[in-house]
Amino acid sequence: MRIIFISTLRQLSISATALVATVAFGGEGAAPFYAWDAALPAEPGILLRQEPLEAQHVLENASEGTRILYSSTGHKGDIVPVSGAVFTPKGEAPEDGWPVLAWSHGTVGIADQCAPSFAGRSQRDVTYLNQWLAAGYAIVATDYEGLGTTGTHPYLHCRSEANGNIDAVHTAHQLDVPLSKRWLVTGQSQGGQGALCTGAYVNERESELEFLGTLATAPGVNFMQRFRHGGADEPNPYIGISLLLARGFETYEPSFDRNQAFTKQVLALMHYTDSTCVQELIGIGFKAGLTSGQSMKHIPFSETPRIAAAAQKMEIPEQGYGHPIYIAQGTKDELVRYQDTYDFAAALCESGETVSLQVFEGADHSGPVNQGVAKFIAWADARFAGEPAPQNCAVIKNLVR
């Protein structure tokens, strides 16, 4: 059964550095920069420490790259340390500082060594972010809670991802870098979900900063709907992603029991999630060669006990944004179904949000990211210029479902 984030290795486009990073971490927890043993501030969005990124991790179009550790609100509501990176464009900053783009990354795994600020980024993401830097945007990129830092990454937890993005932007303004107080967020796949979560919850936070909008490509949406699909005889080579889901569920829904969800063949693979990144996990799942019926105890997966409670923490609000939302989706995406993204965009429209849905015919999961970047940048430029935001809800309502 295809649960979520099912794709080819090419579509996921994970960097090779993420696979060899285990050497530096040695399987013994976070690297020294990421470990914070002192008392944490009472407030989120406070810079704990910073250091220059290694040359190989600085994006080509950036004048500099800085690794940051900052305070954020975790999935339990407590203050936790979170890591990330800040990249500034080349050249002279505008009078009010570089416009800020928060980058919400896609699935990399849950092991500490998979944190993008440590492991590096996929070529797809590097290409995408370099184009934003060339257009004059500073990039603020969270690693998310529990990636590199203490604790388990609460994979796909909506509020945790939102807090990671929001607090990273506030932290970036504490660096000696000229940044605008205006910002927007973009993200792909898991990060598309994270971007939408950021837009949904940013209004709850008092801030001297001004949020301008959300841009999400191939976003993870409508999880329970996806869990209802699939049959017992369907091949399930993407067991590695199922393992990440289970580890996420266990982190923020303790009543979830992996033994009620997966067979012994799958449970025997669970330990790999703590020491390998997503591409290697997928390879392990391919090698197992199991069907859904051989890997899951409940078909469809939505019938698994406590799944609904866990999925509720993953779901993205469908109202309460009050700012422009731009969603891009490919029709041939095997990882995020076009139907689910369409339904989510339609629900936003029904709630009265300002929504633009751009459909990329024939595009796979990674297609819209770099196919549409010129249009995405033009949309962002217009938001910073104060132009009225476009919306195509009338078109969305008439699209074939």
Side-chain angles (χ1 to χ4, degrees):
M1 171 182 158
R2 299 182 176 185
I3 300 181
I4 185 174
F5 290 150
I6 301 170
S7 184
T8 62
L9 300 182
R10 177 182 60 81
Q11 283 180 307
L12 281 169
S13 187
I14 303 300
S15 64
T17 52
L19 300 183
V20 300
T22 52
V23 175
F25 279 81
E28 299 177 355
F33 178 89
Y34 298 82
W36 184 259
D37 298 325
L40 287 162
E43 300 294 327
I46 303 299
L47 179 66
L48 302 177
R49 63 166 62 114
Q50 61 175 299
E51 68 178 14
L53 280 169
E54 296 80 5
Q56 69 268 27
H57 292 330
V58 178
L59 296 168
E60 181 181 358
N61 289 337
S63 62
E64 61 180 326
T66 303
R67 181 180 288 117
I68 59 173
L69 190 71
Y70 60 97
S71 62
S72 186
T73 304
H75 68 281
K76 294 181 180 179
D78 55 345
I79 300 298
V80 297
V82 175
S83 57
V86 178
F87 302 93
T88 50
K90 297 177 180 178
E92 185 175 347
E95 185 176 347
D96 62 347
W98 297 111
V100 176
L101 180 77
W103 166 244
S104 199
H105 68 77
T107 300
V108 295
I110 66 167
D112 283 333
Q113 66 267 17
C114 306
S117 72
F118 176 83
R121 304 173 193 278
S122 69
Q123 187 57 54
R124 179 199 67 191
D125 292 355
V126 167
T127 300
Y128 184 67
L129 296 177
N130 269 321
Q131 292 180 78
W132 284 97
L133 284 163
Y137 285 83
I139 307 294
V140 179
T142 182
D143 287 331
Y144 303 140
E145 176 187 359
L147 271 171
T149 51
T150 335
T152 303
H153 171 49
Y155 183 54
L156 296 174
H157 190 283
C158 189
R159 278 189 179 270
S160 174
E161 292 170 340
N163 290 335
N165 283 316
I166 296 167
D167 294 328
V169 173
H170 281 83
T171 299
H173 282 81
Q174 297 160 40
L175 301 174
D176 186 21
V177 175
L179 298 179
S180 170
K181 291 186 179 298
R182 298 186 297 165
W183 66 288
L184 47 75
V185 64
T186 186
Q188 158 72 12
S189 195
Q190 177 190 3
Q193 179 219 16
L196 288 164
C197 293
T198 300
Y201 292 122
V202 69
N203 292 335
E204 295 182 1
R205 303 280 296 273
E206 292 185 10
S207 174
E208 72 281 4
L209 307 181
E210 181 183 358
F211 184 71
L212 300 181
T214 298
L215 165 60
T217 57
V221 295
N222 294 333
F223 292 98
M224 279 304 291
Q225 181 62 33
R226 297 184 200 191
F227 293 162
R228 295 187 178 100
H229 294 282
D233 295 331
E234 185 175 340
N236 185 21
Y238 299 97
I239 295 165
I241 304 303
S242 303
L243 299 177
L244 293 178
L245 278 171
R247 296 288 277 114
F249 294 159
E250 291 175 331
T251 302
Y252 48 81
E253 185 52 53
S255 63
F256 172 81
D257 183 357
R258 67 173 72 172
N259 296 296
Q260 294 182 352
F262 300 107
T263 62
K264 291 181 179 180
Q265 296 98 310
V266 174
L267 293 175
L269 306 176
M270 191 72 73
H271 67 97
Y272 287 111
T273 61
D274 294 321
S275 58
T276 57
C277 299
V278 66
Q279 189 173 9
E280 188 172 353
L281 280 173
I282 290 175
I284 290 168
F286 266 85
K287 186 176 180 180
L290 302 175
T291 65
S292 292
Q294 293 170 330
S295 55
M296 298 178 186
K297 290 189 174 180
H298 299 268
I299 305 293
F301 191 61
S302 58
E303 299 300 317
T304 303
R306 304 305 297 171
I307 283 296
Q312 186 176 14
K313 297 178 175 66
M314 301 158 61
E315 298 291 7
I316 310 163
E318 295 178 348
Q319 58 186 0
Y321 292 76
H323 62 259
I325 303 167
Y326 187 174
I327 300 174
Q329 177 65 46
T331 59
K332 298 298 184 183
D333 188 338
E334 294 183 338
L335 189 58
V336 173
R337 298 193 320 148
Y338 164 76
Q339 182 66 55
D340 292 323
T341 302
Y342 168 84
D343 289 343
F344 180 77
L348 290 175
C349 288
E350 291 174 7
S351 297
E353 303 293 346
T354 302
V355 183
S356 292
L357 173 63
Q358 182 172 2
V359 178
F360 288 78
E361 293 292 340
D364 63 14
H365 187 56
S366 294
V369 176
N370 288 305
Q371 289 182 33
V373 65
K375 293 181 179 179
F376 303 158
I377 292 172
W379 179 85
D381 288 346
R383 305 289 72 73
F384 278 91
E387 298 177 12
Q391 63 88 19
N392 63 350
C393 283
V395 174
I396 292 172
K397 292 177 182 178
N398 293 322
L399 286 174
V400 176
R401 298 195 179 199

